[in-house]
Amino acid sequence: MSHPTKTVKDIGEQGLLQRLQNFCPPDMVGDDAAVLEIESGYSVVVTTDMLVDGVHFSDRTTSPEDVGWRAAAANLSDLAAMGASPIGITLALGLPGEVAISWVEALYHGLYDCLQRYQTPIVGGDICRSSVITVSITAFGRVLPQRVIRRFNAKAGDAVVATGFHGCSRAGLELLLHPESGQNLAEIAKNTLIKTHQRPQPRLDILDHLWVVVGDRSVAGMDSSDGLADAVVQICRCSGVGARIERQAIPISPALHQFVSPEQALEWILYGGEDFELVLCLSPQSAQDLVNRLGTGAAIIGTITGEPTVELIDRSGNYAPRQLTLSEGFQHF
């Protein structure tokens, strides 16, 4: 005989809080706020990111464990984009009363699994009744002031580095929404693309390599959660510069290459979003040293210029220059 699924409404706010506190350090929860220790000389970095059911995820493509993982990864990626190491997160959760408790616990398992990889605790949060599931995370990090990565630090002559492959998350989403589109795709390639979408990896691992290469010299950059083109254009706008991105220099993942045409791959690389790599601007020699350390997928894709435009160029002459903009990617409104 099957038992009815217990919902959030069945156990109430306090009952749900008792279950969720099992995912937090015991000495960090129970008061009105968390207390985080930070070494002298460091700056605190704070970022907030929100995921909404029907906008950022759906049960067609994303399990509750993957929702939790993606929520954690998005915030950790923002810390990495600032050059910061994580020290803790808080989570605000809006829930309809009819949501199964097992769904909420699975969300926390995914969140916890991602955070554990980066020794990052859940140090507090809030829950409330909502007509739609909403997951809002605030993440806290620390960074030495001279090592903060800022969008406005790009200079003419800098090399533009992409730290890994782009377009794979968008391809994974396509496979989840339209499984028939991958019927001729090798299973290992299919799984690679889907995993990239469901379980993105924030590039906190890059920071140690970066500081070895550049020391305490300034670096411009941001993450590519809204697409490679978006990141390059945003950096250029903030820095008052332009860029020339070389079509042939942009690496294409073997799995993506197997799945779609080069033209479609390029569109997803530029505007697909949710790849959570970093786009960095630094001196040409430092850029080459960093790419050598990072290996497969990392590449110098272009150069910062003193002109105001951001162009995609083709050195073979087969394609006319193309201006990259913010309007072709995903926009909330």
Side-chain angles (χ1 to χ4, degrees), residues 305-316:
T305 70
E307 302 298 323
T309 57
V310 179
E311 284 189 325
L312 180 71
I313 64 171
D314 174 33
R315 293 200 179 277
S316 71

Side-chain angles (χ1 to χ4, degrees), residues 116-154:
Q116 282 294 98
R117 292 193 173 201
Y118 306 99
Q119 295 81 52
T120 306
I122 303 170
V123 298
D126 189 27
I127 57 171
C128 71
R129 184 175 68 248
S130 171
S131 60
V132 62
I133 298 173
T134 304
V135 183
S136 181
I137 290 179
T138 297
F140 303 87
R142 62 185 175 193
V143 63
L144 291 169
Q146 66 272 25
R147 290 184 174 179
V148 178
I149 299 171
R150 306 300 293 264
R151 296 182 187 184
F152 57 67
N153 280 338

Side-chain angles (χ1 to χ4, degrees), residues 2-12 15-16 19 95-105:
S2 62
H3 297 282
T5 301
K6 273 197 172 184
T7 67
V8 169
K9 189 162 55 176
D10 291 332
I11 64 171
L16 183 60
R19 288 177 180 243
L95 295 169
E98 294 71 31
V99 171
I101 296 167
S102 58
W103 192 99
V104 181
E105 290 184 318

Side-chain angles (χ1 to χ4, degrees), residues 16 28 31 43 45 49 55 90 96 134 140 150 180 201 221 293-294 333:
L16 183 60
M28 280 284 187
D31 290 310
S43 296
V45 178
D49 200 67
V55 178
T90 61
T134 304
F140 303 87
R150 306 300 293 264
E180 70 281 0
Q201 305 294 320
R293 292 178 69 93
L294 296 181
F333 303 102

Side-chain angles (χ1 to χ4, degrees), residues 27-29 31-38 87 90 121 123-124:
D27 58 341
M28 280 284 187
V29 294
D31 290 310
D32 293 297
V35 178
L36 302 177
E37 300 293 337
I38 183 167
I87 55 178
T90 61
V123 298

